Amino acid sequence: MEQTLQTIEAFAHYIRGVITLFFVSSCLKLYIYKRRSRMMRLLYYATLYLTFSHLKDSVFLFAGWKNSMVLNDFVITIDMVFFPLICAFFLEVVSPGRVTKRLLALATAFQASFPVAFLVFRSGIIATFSMATAFAMAIATIVFVLIFSARYRRLIATNYSYRENIDVIWVTVSSVVYFVSLFVYAFAFNQTTWLSESLYNVFSIVFWSFLFIFARRHRVMRVYVQQGKASDTAAEQSGEDETTEEQLATDRDDEIAARLQAYVENGKAYLNPKITLGEVALAIGTNRTYLSDYFNRALNITFLDYINNFRVAEACRILDAMPQEGRKSMGTVAEMSGFNSKSTFHRYFMKVKGVSPKNYYLARIENNNNL
């Protein structure tokens, strides 16, 4: 038994060294990316603090401090200062600019006051309060991330015809998994053992590896859609009655419809898998707000559905021409139709046609054979 405990302790020290080196190397890599966006800067500073946090834990290697509860409580208050940084990172991804520098500074300063208070009073209650406020901050972050990510995804669906590297589902899942894992670790392992620490450190390496990968791939999209009326003031001039306003709106809609048909349908702009609402608005001589309002009000459809309807029609044309124009895989048909992935192609084809692309093709072949 003694030998087993020594082995587990030795393994725990080894894993502690591995995770420390992992965060050191991650800091060096993220330093290059921190200028790319505020999101990456926050991730860099959070990782930098994690590196410091793991390096400071080396004090427990000394025999005299190894079992010191006072030192352990003090270290806890220092670790909790990390929470404002990681919370700000998660919120920045789903709502860019939501957490201001002032707000982050105040939250960090408040959390940093606990280590200072502990040095003065040396009370375990301070460490408890430090954890309580950090966990409250984490719970609030999860709630806001869920709210903001849902709003962000709706805006993305309205303004963009693709979601590759701009969707935020990864940060929604990551924030929940990370904070829940911290809660489980804190309460399930109230008296931390060498084995529990080793398992959590292994989990941390895996989790942060995935987080770094998705963060580096993510493109921050600042999408702002004005609700209500578009920013067109032509119908607000004094003296115009309701009939004139309605006529002007109808004329503008007719003009937008004609330009959309020329650019998107006739020009086959939908074949561009990364076409955006802003790009279309610029091409037809209007603004993104008015065009978004036009889709929602006049056509009762989102920009994404509008574009993908043309893509499905294009896919049907390609499928109808098979095999006269050569057999093609469904992945090739998806790419030729303007879809950025086979899964998106399959989903929208099912939505519009009610059958899968493959079954659509097989049904057409069967009908031709019966003629």
Side-chain angles (χ1 to χ4, degrees), residues 60-260:
F60 291 106
L61 295 175
F62 296 97
W65 293 345
K66 183 177 180 180
N67 298 313
S68 173
M69 291 304 299
V70 174
L71 180 60
N72 183 69
D73 288 342
F74 178 58
V75 165
I76 287 175
T77 61
I78 295 176
D79 289 339
M80 295 303 105
V81 180
F82 167 74
F83 273 71
L85 291 172
I86 192 60
C87 290
F89 164 73
F90 286 135
L91 290 170
E92 178 66 19
V93 182
V94 295
S95 185
R98 175 73 60 173
V99 180
T100 63
K101 291 182 179 179
R102 176 184 173 85
L103 182 61
L104 177 58
L106 289 173
T108 305
F110 174 75
Q111 205 63 43
S113 67
F114 288 104
V116 176
F118 187 88
L119 289 176
V120 176
F121 299 103
R122 301 287 185 93
S123 173
I125 297 178
I126 295 176
T128 302
F129 272 111
S130 176
M131 291 182 64
T133 56
F135 286 165
M137 195 180 300
I139 293 172
T141 298
I142 291 176
V143 173
F144 284 120
V145 164
L146 292 174
I147 294 172
F148 294 147
S149 63
R151 185 182 305 170
Y152 183 98
R153 298 189 80 205
R154 285 197 299 270
L155 292 176
I156 289 297
T158 302
N159 289 270
Y160 296 87
S161 66
Y162 70 103
R163 292 192 177 189
E164 183 182 3
N165 295 335
I166 63 173
D167 203 342
V168 293
I169 188 66
W170 64 272
V171 78
T172 306
V173 174
S174 297
S175 61
V176 173
V177 170
Y178 181 65
F179 289 131
V180 168
S181 70
L182 287 177
F183 298 152
V184 171
Y185 180 76
F187 295 107
F189 302 108
N190 192 27
Q191 296 297 324
T192 305
T193 64
W194 290 118
L195 182 59
S196 64
E197 181 180 332
S198 299
L199 292 175
Y200 184 76
N201 283 339
V202 170
F203 162 79
S204 295
I205 293 174
V206 175
F207 172 83
W208 285 96
S209 296
F210 279 105
L211 191 68
F212 292 147
I213 291 172
F214 280 100
R216 287 198 297 268
R217 291 177 180 175
H218 185 72
R219 295 171 56 201
V220 178
M221 310 301 288
R222 291 180 176 270
V223 183
Y224 300 100
V225 179
Q226 180 180 346
Q227 301 297 325
K229 293 183 179 180
S231 56
D232 193 320
T233 58
E236 297 178 2
Q237 297 176 2
S238 58
E240 292 183 326
D241 57 22
E242 292 183 2
T243 302
T244 304
E245 291 181 6
E246 292 177 1
Q247 185 60 50
L248 285 173
T250 301
D251 292 343
R252 285 196 300 272
D253 287 351
D254 291 342
E255 186 177 0
I256 289 295
R259 292 179 182 177
L260 268 176

